[in-house]
Amino acid sequence: MARQRERFERTDVPRDNPNRNLIAVIVLVVVFVACGIVVFMAWGRAQAQSHLGDSSLSSSVRKTSSVSDLGYTVSGDTFTGILLLTTDNLDAFKTGGANLSLVELLVYDKTTATGTLVSIPTDAKVSYNGRDTTLAELFNDSGAGVCVSPLSTAANLPVTHVIVSTGTVWDEARSLAGAGVNSLISRASEFLSSIRTDMSSQELLDLAEKVQSAGSDGLSRVDAPMVDETTTDESGNAVSTGYRVIDQASLGLAVGTLVSNEG
């Protein structure tokens, strides 16, 4: 009597499955959706990051001048200057056509971990390419970048970084302190969308921590001392030029970049 052969199923050979095509479609849809989510998140992050590290502002900062002694002694402390320009139109901050509503310069003394927030009038006189003008006019004509070096020269103060913003920055920056670099963008997307700066995310976080650590005791506020500029007419009389200029010596003494020679 012939023996009946036993049949064994091979595990290495796929079996026909009537639902195989459906399963493949579902897998493809899931992969497609997952890829879409990743691309969307990456795009959002890239858009936020694009507001940082602006090359035109970085180039402007490199053209700023050093502090002159003006007959006093230049402080041996190390200072950082963060220039804030507040405008009504971020889209035009490079080319001009935007209005300048507020100018502030945070002069931070790294040596003593203290800072002074200087408020500068938008009608302060600056010179650009041999032409006298005001900060507001220069900003409107040519954009934020060209204002940096003329302002640094006019104030005799360092400008290390620039932030162009549509709103108040310092309180918002203070709220970012304690956030890790990786979570900075996700936690502060609205803040980042309202600024353009040469700073990186790490530098922006460092600034937030400096403002936070200085607190109300270590961060003072002053108005830039201004004087009416005069010239001499043919008769030797003093005549106003119509411009207001920053009193560089008084401002330098107020923020600590200059030290009196007495004593």
Side-chain angles (χ1 to χ4, degrees):
M1 183 176 176
R3 297 179 57 188
Q4 185 177 0
R5 299 178 61 185
E6 296 183 8
R7 298 182 61 184
F8 295 93
E9 293 185 3
R10 295 182 57 181
T11 58
D12 59 337
V13 177
R15 298 176 58 188
D16 288 335
N17 187 332
N19 296 323
R20 182 165 57 184
N21 291 339
L22 178 60
I23 294 173
V25 170
I26 294 175
V27 170
L28 288 175
V29 169
V30 171
V31 171
F32 178 80
V33 171
C35 289
I37 292 174
V38 171
V39 170
F40 176 79
M41 294 177 63
W43 173 254
R45 185 181 181 89
Q47 288 296 97
Q49 286 282 24
S50 68
H51 302 157
L52 308 178
D54 186 274
S55 59
S56 65
L57 295 177
S58 298
S59 176
S60 300
V61 168
R62 288 194 293 270
K63 298 176 182 177
T64 57
S65 57
S66 58
V67 176
S68 299
D69 59 37
L70 303 178
Y72 294 90
T73 300
V74 176
S75 172
D77 292 354
T78 301
F79 290 88
T80 296
I82 311 296
L83 176 61
L84 171 65
L85 302 172
T86 304
T87 180
D88 61 347
N89 187 351
L90 280 179
D91 294 332
F93 86 95
K94 290 185 180 181
T95 59
N99 295 315
L100 182 64
S101 59
L102 181 67
V103 180
E104 293 178 310
L105 180 61
L106 175 63
V107 183
Y108 185 80
D109 188 338
K110 293 183 178 180
T111 306
T112 62
T114 59
T116 305
L117 186 60
V118 181
S119 178
I120 301 173
T122 60
D123 65 349
K125 176 189 171 182
V126 292
S127 297
Y128 178 67
N129 285 344
R131 179 175 67 91
D132 293 338
T133 184
T134 66
L135 279 171
E137 291 172 347
L138 185 58
F139 186 93
N140 184 266
D141 290 342
S142 305
V146 299
C147 294
V148 179
S149 180
L151 175 58
S152 176
T153 300
N156 193 40
L157 291 176
V159 176
T160 315
H161 294 293
V162 184
I163 301 175
V164 185
S165 170
T166 55
T168 304
V169 165
W170 304 117
D171 290 339
E172 297 178 43
R174 186 183 290 112
S175 69
L176 299 179
V181 175
N182 292 332
S183 64
L184 178 62
I185 293 175
S186 61
R187 292 182 56 184
S189 58
E190 183 177 352
F191 169 68
L192 290 175
S193 68
S194 68
I195 69 170
R196 302 293 184 271
T197 179
D198 67 298
M199 304 172 74
S200 66
S201 57
Q202 182 61 62
E203 289 170 331
L204 190 60
L205 180 60
D206 289 343
L207 171 62
E209 291 176 343
K210 285 183 175 66
V211 175
Q212 176 73 21
S213 61
S216 57
D217 294 333
L219 186 62
S220 59
R221 294 175 179 264
V222 299
D223 293 330
M226 307 294 295
V227 295
D228 292 329
E229 184 184 53
T230 60
T231 187
T232 304
D233 63 13
E234 295 178 355
S235 302
N237 299 316
V239 179
S240 174
T241 64
Y243 286 111
R244 295 201 302 159
V245 297
I246 299 172
D247 185 340
Q248 297 176 329
S250 296
L251 181 56
L253 292 170
V255 301
T257 54
L258 298 180
V259 180
S260 175
N261 297 324
E262 297 179 0

